[in-house]
Amino acid sequence: MSETFTKGMARNIYFGGSVFFFLIFLALTYHTEQTFPARSNVDQLTESVIRGKSVWERNNCVGCHTLLGEGAYFAPELGNVFKRRGGDEGFKPFLHAWMKMQPLGVPGRRAMPQFNLSDQEVDDMAEFLKWSSKIDTNNWPPNKEG
Ligand code: HEC
């Protein structure tokens, strides 16, 4: 084997390496795209969940809250609020009561505004947050309060 490292060898490593890792990148992208529907429970995207997402966006909840880590860090994470506040039995009544009682007006506590959402909008929001809590995120956030 030659002792010298030629330009041709360097070029082959550069192009060969680029093609190799680009192919790995394509394969991983394909794999991710294939697993999304199962991980995000696409089959459970009801009309109500979709309306709830629209209520979420129109009212800019993400301006204060995070949803699965995305958003602002002023107020609690809501990706798992469904599990934290009652789950299947308790969450919907909790959300109705919570939305009605804002702002709490407790001195020294961060306030959430009153949004005057209709009952239908709160129901849809509850469905959206329920659906969000079921996304398979490899158990993130690590604890219920997170
Ligand atoms: C101006 C900032 C702000 C906006 C916008 C906002 N929130 Fe909040 N939210 C808060 C704060 C602050 C708290 C924590 C209040 C407390 O504990 O007293 C909170 C708490 C909550 C909780 C209870 C969380 C828990 O862990 O118990 C829910 C549910 C909630 N918000 C839903 C919403 C929804 C739905 C929207 C959009 C319609 C929204 N919030 C928009 C500031 C905001």
Side-chain angles (χ1 to χ4, degrees), residues 22-37:
F22 186 67
L23 291 178
I24 290 185
F25 170 72
L26 287 184
L28 289 176
T29 305
Y30 177 76
H31 177 259
T32 303
E33 289 293 326
Q34 293 303 104
T35 52
F36 269 158

Side-chain angles (χ1 to χ4, degrees), residues 55-56 59-65 74-78 81 84-85 91 94-95 98-99 102 104 106 109-113 115 117 125 129 145:
V55 177
W56 171 267
N59 291 282
N60 192 28
C61 310
V62 85
C64 291
H65 290 276
F74 180 72
E77 162 69 44
L78 295 185
V81 70
R84 183 162 65 242
R85 302 283 176 234
F91 182 65
F94 163 82
L95 193 64
W98 178 263
M99 297 310 285
Q102 304 308 315
L104 296 181
V106 180
R109 192 159 161 165
R110 291 181 182 179
M112 173 161 147
F115 287 95
L117 300 182
M125 175 62 68
L129 291 173
E145 296 301 326

Side-chain angles (χ1 to χ4, degrees), residues 66-70 73 75-84 129 132-146:
T66 47
L67 191 66
L68 304 182
E70 293 286 331
Y73 292 102
E77 162 69 44
L78 295 185
N80 53 1
V81 70
F82 172 78
K83 293 176 185 151
R84 183 162 65 242
L129 291 173
S132 306
S133 78
K134 311 251 165 178
I135 296 173
D136 179 357
T137 56
N138 292 340
N139 295 325
W140 193 93
N143 74 61
K144 232 169 50 161
E145 296 301 326

Side-chain angles (χ1 to χ4, degrees), residues 41-58 120-121 123-129 131-132:
N41 304 310
V42 168
D43 52 326
Q44 289 164 35
L45 276 175
T46 59
E47 291 295 313
S48 180
V49 172
I50 291 163
R51 284 195 304 268
K53 167 98 177 351
S54 159
V55 177
W56 171 267
E57 283 170 4
R58 285 200 311 271
Q120 175 73 54
E121 286 174 318
D123 277 344
D124 292 339
M125 175 62 68
E127 289 297 323
F128 172 62
L129 291 173
W131 177 80
S132 306

